[in-house]
Amino acid sequence: MAPAASKLRAEAGLGALPQRALAQYLRLLRLYPVLTKAATSGVLSALGNFLAQMMAKQRKKENCSQKLDVGGPLRYAIYGFFFTGPLSHFFYLFMERWIPSEAPCAGVKRLLLDRLLFAPAFLLLFLSTMNFLEGRGAAALSVQIRRSFWPALRTNWRVWTPVQFININYVPLQFRVLVANLVSLFWYVYLASLGK
């Protein structure tokens, strides 16, 4: 009887793990909102780049035991921690205050602000930061922008417009960065593929 009861307790403890993790995340989010969002963005950005590298290896039929570019996830972690998390946090706060949900056509205004101003600026910041972190000069950045900016922005508008409409209008403010980070996992896979 004791082994069965012990197994049952262990399974119950395992099932409670996600709830405890969520409770801890919510506590950190309440106590340290910017730092928590920055750390989450850094980890998920690095994971996105790691996944992009794994997918590229599989596409090329390369041996997955070959070394990965450790610098890629590190650059993405830096970008996520110092830019994505904090900037998104403050942008969503600004949007919430500048265009309150009670304002006429608030949902459309928020979406236009995000899509027409924030998205292009954020994409330029991404390309510039990655160029700098990779140790490339201004000429390489110019080529990268000419080659990648418009295709990436058009794809951004197609992918992110419905996501952001839901995120900025229906997701509670404290979870908007997390929702964007989860979608960014796949978005960073796409952006990483542009650099190759």
Side-chain angles (χ1 to χ4, degrees):
M1 205 79 170
S6 175
K7 183 180 177 188
L8 192 58
R9 275 197 302 275
E11 288 174 0
L14 213 54
L17 185 62
Q19 289 177 329
R20 287 196 310 267
L22 178 61
Q24 181 66 11
Y25 179 79
L26 293 174
R27 183 172 103 35
L28 291 171
L29 198 56
R30 190 180 67 254
L31 295 174
Y32 313 103
V34 178
L35 183 59
T36 302
K37 292 172 187 178
T40 304
S41 294
V43 168
L44 291 176
S45 296
L47 182 59
N49 182 268
F50 174 78
L51 291 174
Q53 289 188 50
M54 293 303 292
M55 290 172 63
K57 282 182 173 291
Q58 284 185 340
R59 244 190 335 265
K60 293 177 183 176
K61 307 277 192 247
E62 291 179 6
N63 182 358
C64 288
S65 66
Q66 288 180 337
K67 288 187 177 182
L68 293 172
D69 171 24
V70 179
L74 181 60
R75 286 188 296 273
Y76 275 72
I78 290 169
Y79 184 77
F81 185 83
F82 289 103
F83 296 101
T84 304
L87 288 177
S88 298
H89 169 81
F90 289 112
F91 177 71
Y92 290 135
L93 280 177
F94 165 76
M95 189 185 312
E96 194 69 23
R97 291 185 180 128
W98 197 49
I99 309 171
S101 54
E102 308 82 42
C105 302
V108 173
K109 289 176 184 175
R110 287 176 176 187
L111 187 64
L112 289 174
L113 177 65
D114 179 75
R115 303 290 67 223
L116 298 178
L117 292 176
F118 190 72
F122 202 70
L123 181 58
L124 279 174
L125 177 64
F126 173 83
L127 293 173
S128 302
T129 302
M130 287 300 156
N131 187 73
F132 172 77
L133 291 174
E134 291 169 1
R136 296 185 295 166
L141 175 61
S142 178
V143 168
Q144 180 75 5
I145 288 172
R146 280 197 307 273
R147 183 177 59 117
S148 302
F149 180 77
W150 284 112
L153 186 60
R154 284 192 302 269
T155 303
N156 178 297
W157 284 338
R158 282 194 302 272
V159 170
W160 282 95
T161 299
V163 170
Q164 283 299 80
F165 181 78
I166 293 167
N167 195 21
I168 60 183
N169 291 303
Y170 300 106
V171 173
L173 181 61
Q174 72 268 26
F175 297 120
R176 290 180 191 166
V177 175
L178 178 61
V179 168
N181 282 331
L182 292 172
V183 176
S184 289
L185 261 177
F186 304 101
W187 178 244
Y188 283 141
V189 168
Y190 166 74
L191 287 178
S193 72
L194 291 178
K196 303 294 181 234

